[in-house]
Amino acid sequence: MPQVSINALITGALQGKLVSFPTDTVPALAVSPEKADLIYTAKQRSQDKPLILMAASADELWNYVTGTEVELEIWQRVAAKYFPGAVTLVLPTASPVAKTMNPQNPTTLGIRVPANAITQQILSQTGALATTSANLSGQPALLTMPEIAMQFADVLVLDVNSGETGINSTGVPSTVVKWTQESWQILRQGAVKFDF
């Protein structure tokens, strides 16, 4: 599929189509959370690997997670420190989207706010999207939009003109930390040193 303008990509995402765009880490494959199975199919990804819910602001994400007032206060403090940025928080949830985004363990959900102007522009108009790296499961993340367009013929890929992800993408995935009732557990050390 040819690469598309940002407006065409946003329209496609709102229609429930798979889309791909740069982020602050690696380019994302994204879709509305209810249609997350499209990502699993396109990537040939095992259902025991959860997706990440990405939004333009933390405020959009709190409705998707479930915790006590004290927990929510802790999570919001951490989000204030690390969002927007390359940190994913894995938090308890009772949201129905967890059934499609984390089919094997729908009691947790990873949330993230990327520090990238284009990603922010897209997410501010589409709302929160289910995301993961743009590659076939088990293979290295694809780092340019033309590569992604070649690999995924049915995905609307953002045309960034230069052929590079550029636009602040580091190529290093986000750091993933999980809340375990009273403390944080690092699941994946990525672009950011997590310290709380």
Side-chain angles (χ1 to χ4, degrees):
M1 189 171 280
Q3 294 177 68
V4 298
S5 69
I6 194 162
N7 289 339
L9 183 131
I10 289 165
T11 300
L14 291 170
Q15 292 169 346
K17 294 178 180 166
L18 271 178
V19 298
S20 182
F21 46 80
T23 75
D24 51 349
T25 56
V26 296
L29 199 57
V31 75
S32 60
E34 307 75 40
K35 301 207 167 193
D37 58 314
L38 293 177
I39 289 180
Y40 284 101
T41 302
K43 283 187 62 134
Q44 300 162 22
R45 183 181 175 94
S46 164
Q47 295 222 328
D48 61 359
K49 294 180 176 177
L51 306 177
I52 293 170
L53 191 67
M54 204 180 270
S57 73
D59 289 344
E60 291 179 65
L61 294 166
W62 301 125
N63 288 338
Y64 290 95
V65 297
T66 309
T68 64
E69 274 185 47
V70 172
E71 285 178 318
L72 198 57
E73 197 176 299
I74 292 168
W75 303 342
Q76 288 175 335
R77 272 207 315 271
V78 170
K81 179 175 180 179
Y82 289 104
F83 288 176
V87 170
T88 298
L89 305 180
V90 178
L91 303 175
T93 185
S95 172
V97 304
K99 292 182 176 67
T100 55
M101 293 187 54
N102 191 0
Q104 301 286 317
N105 182 14
T107 61
T108 62
L109 188 65
I111 61 169
R112 183 161 108 75
V113 177
N116 176 291
I118 285 186
T119 321
Q120 290 269 342
Q121 184 183 345
I122 291 167
L123 293 169
S124 68
Q125 294 185 63
T126 61
L129 294 177
T131 66
T132 184
S133 57
N135 56 291
L136 291 177
S137 198
Q139 294 187 4
L142 298 172
L143 298 180
T144 70
M145 306 321 283
E147 285 179 305
I148 295 164
M150 283 182 65
Q151 179 80 77
F152 295 101
D154 297 331
V155 173
L156 294 173
V157 177
L158 183 65
D159 183 0
V160 293
N161 298 324
S162 66
E164 295 300 314
T165 53
I167 328 171
N168 307 332
S169 288
T170 64
V172 180
S174 65
T175 297
V176 180
V177 294
K178 181 177 183 179
W179 177 253
T180 56
Q181 295 182 318
E182 58 208 20
S183 63
W184 297 100
Q185 172 190 1
I186 296 178
L187 300 183
R188 177 178 73 194
Q189 182 58 57
V192 171
K193 183 174 181 351
F194 185 85
D195 179 26
F196 216 86

